[in-house]
Amino acid sequence: LEPDGELATRMRSVFRDVGLVHLVNTGLVEHSDMRAFARLVVDAEMPYAAGANPRDVLEPNVYEVGAPLQAWLHYHHEMAYVATSTKMVAFLCKRELPGRGATFVSDNVRATDALLATDFGRKLARLGVCYRRDLTDREAFTGREPVGVYNHWQRSLGTDDPDVAERRARRKGLQTSWGPDRLLRTRYYTSAFEYFPQLGRNLLYSSVADHSMWFDTWPLVDQLPPDERPLWMTFGDDTDFTADELREYVEVYDRFGSPIDWRVGDVGIICNYRFAHGRPSIVLGEDEERELGVLLGEPFERVGALPDRW
């Protein structure tokens, strides 16, 4: 754990050059100990803040994954849907599911180049994207089965006061309006790409993870028709993606993806610019468990794509 020791130096060098570190054979079993090793690279931690989808706390600054195991988590960049994102994300494996519990990472530099070679990629660069999120009111679901609930605005924005919720959402770059049953609708217009200073170029920074298809395998939300689900994503001019465009969006990440097959004690640190991450649906058998802790790295304010950095 010495910051100038051989392991720390090697981890930081690999992260700088590749953007991905997978530390194995640690012998560690507790998230708190794994976090100490992750911090050899993650030197500034980011707590979940207003506007994000908060997660339950496992240890100080270590969060649970925030999605049911049976949900299919498309490749995504952490917190691309708000103005304050994070430079890196770390995963800490406490319970393993060998062969079926992998996290997949996609080489985003290659995905960016491949997508920009298509008409769809150039259209995406020109128009940008809009993230639409409908946050339900916790009080409206008192005594009701939470069908269609992804996130209540009280939890997402950390307040029970509607006025405070609006102010906090707007500070994160979100447009807000209210619907029936105190449904808080947020909209965030931004570039589909993000300038990455280390490489001096724009990289893809969006995916179908913020489209309604995110909920195709999400319990209680998958019961809603797509146009009534809590997330929707369009081009920045508010036009919808075609089925072919969505297919291209999915396939460009799949083409450059590879698995991290976790073992207990593993620590994975992923550059949020250079890699997207996700995983397929997981169904546990009897006596099977899978548990990853999540650590967010240094926050940054999104600038989008710079016009002369393609």
Side-chain angles (χ1 to χ4, degrees), residues 75-196:
Y75 283 113
H76 60 283
H77 300 273
E78 203 69 28
M79 298 179 69
Y81 52 83
V82 286
T84 303
S85 189
T86 182
K87 293 182 178 180
M88 63 188 74
V89 59
F91 293 99
L92 321 173
C93 180
K94 186 169 184 177
R95 293 181 176 88
E96 65 184 29
L97 188 61
R100 294 193 295 114
T103 294
F104 282 73
V105 292
S106 179
D107 183 337
N108 194 42
V109 176
R110 298 172 70 192
T112 299
D113 291 340
L115 195 64
L116 286 174
T118 68
D119 290 339
F120 168 58
R122 291 186 289 270
K123 180 180 178 182
L124 197 60
R126 184 174 72 255
L127 296 180
V129 293
C130 175
Y131 299 110
R132 304 181 183 184
R133 293 188 165 232
D134 290 347
L135 303 176
T136 47
D137 174 39
R138 183 172 54 212
E139 307 307 319
F141 281 84
T142 301
R144 293 170 52 189
E145 186 180 16
V147 173
V149 173
Y150 176 49
N151 202 4
H152 296 311
W153 58 260
Q154 289 94 335
R155 186 165 185 256
S156 178
L157 295 160
T159 180
D160 292 330
D161 187 323
D163 293 331
V164 174
E166 278 197 277
R167 288 197 298 271
R168 289 181 177 177
R170 288 171 181 167
R171 282 200 296 269
K172 294 296 180 181
L174 308 178
Q175 299 178 14
T176 62
S177 63
W178 293 94
D181 295 325
R182 292 206 308 175
L183 181 76
L184 178 58
R185 296 188 171 112
T186 70
R187 303 292 182 265
Y188 178 48
Y189 291 88
T190 187
S191 173
F193 296 77
E194 186 69 21
Y195 176 67
F196 180 41

Side-chain angles (χ1 to χ4, degrees), residues 19-304:
L20 176 64
V21 174
H22 184 194
L23 184 66
V24 301
N25 299 324
T26 66
L28 303 174
V29 295
E30 298 298 335
H31 280 141
S32 56
D33 295 326
M34 297 175 221
R35 172 178 171 246
F37 281 90
R39 282 185 53 81
L40 294 174
V41 176
V42 183
D43 54 3
E45 296 171 306
M46 175 185 180
Y48 273 87
N53 288 314
R55 310 167 185 226
D56 292 334
V57 177
L58 300 174
E59 299 276 355
N61 274 3
V62 178
Y63 302 89
E64 52 92 26
V65 170
L69 282 174
Q70 60 265 50
W72 187 291
L73 304 186
H74 294 279
Y75 283 113
H76 60 283
H77 300 273
E78 203 69 28
M79 298 179 69
Y81 52 83
V82 286
T84 303
S85 189
T86 182
K87 293 182 178 180
M88 63 188 74
V89 59
F91 293 99
L92 321 173
C93 180
K94 186 169 184 177
R95 293 181 176 88
E96 65 184 29
L97 188 61
R100 294 193 295 114
T103 294
F104 282 73
V105 292
S106 179
D107 183 337
N108 194 42
V109 176
R110 298 172 70 192
T112 299
D113 291 340
L115 195 64
L116 286 174
T118 68
D119 290 339
F120 168 58
R122 291 186 289 270
K123 180 180 178 182
L124 197 60
R126 184 174 72 255
L127 296 180
V129 293
C130 175
Y131 299 110
R132 304 181 183 184
R133 293 188 165 232
D134 290 347
L135 303 176
T136 47
D137 174 39
R138 183 172 54 212
E139 307 307 319
F141 281 84
T142 301
R144 293 170 52 189
E145 186 180 16
V147 173
V149 173
Y150 176 49
N151 202 4
H152 296 311
W153 58 260
Q154 289 94 335
R155 186 165 185 256
S156 178
L157 295 160
T159 180
D160 292 330
D161 187 323
D163 293 331
V164 174
E166 278 197 277
R167 288 197 298 271
R168 289 181 177 177
R170 288 171 181 167
R171 282 200 296 269
K172 294 296 180 181
L174 308 178
Q175 299 178 14
T176 62
S177 63
W178 293 94
D181 295 325
R182 292 206 308 175
L183 181 76
L184 178 58
R185 296 188 171 112
T186 70
R187 303 292 182 265
Y188 178 48
Y189 291 88
T190 187
S191 173
F193 296 77
E194 186 69 21
Y195 176 67
F196 180 41
Q198 183 177 324
L199 294 183
R201 60 167 296 187
N202 302 319
L203 293 177
L204 185 60
Y205 210 74
S206 59
S207 73
V208 299
D210 291 284
H211 192 271
S212 65
M213 68 171 66
W214 180 251
F215 296 118
D216 283 350
T217 54
W218 196 288
L220 296 179
V221 186
D222 58 357
Q223 299 178 28
L224 297 180
D227 60 353
E228 294 180 16
R229 292 177 181 177
L231 299 186
W232 192 259
M233 185 180 173
T234 67
F235 285 109
D237 64 355
D238 296 316
T239 57
D240 288 325
F241 298 105
T242 67
D244 285 342
E245 288 168 337
L246 289 171
R247 192 173 295 111
E248 282 193 71
Y249 229 160
V250 171
E251 289 178 349
V252 76
Y253 282 115
D254 283 347
R255 197 184 315 166
F256 303 109
S258 56
I260 300 175
D261 194 16
W262 302 107
R263 296 295 184 271
V264 172
D266 283 7
V267 176
I269 308 162
I270 301 169
C271 173
N272 204 30
Y273 293 95
R274 285 177 281 180
F275 287 89
H277 64 277
R279 62 156 172 77
S281 175
I282 296 172
V283 178
L284 296 177
E286 187 176 354
D287 298 326
E288 288 185 329
E289 292 182 286
R290 179 191 187 270
E291 183 182 330
L292 298 183
V294 179
L295 185 71
L296 292 181
E298 181 183 352
F300 74 94
E301 295 301 314
R302 291 202 56 190
V303 299

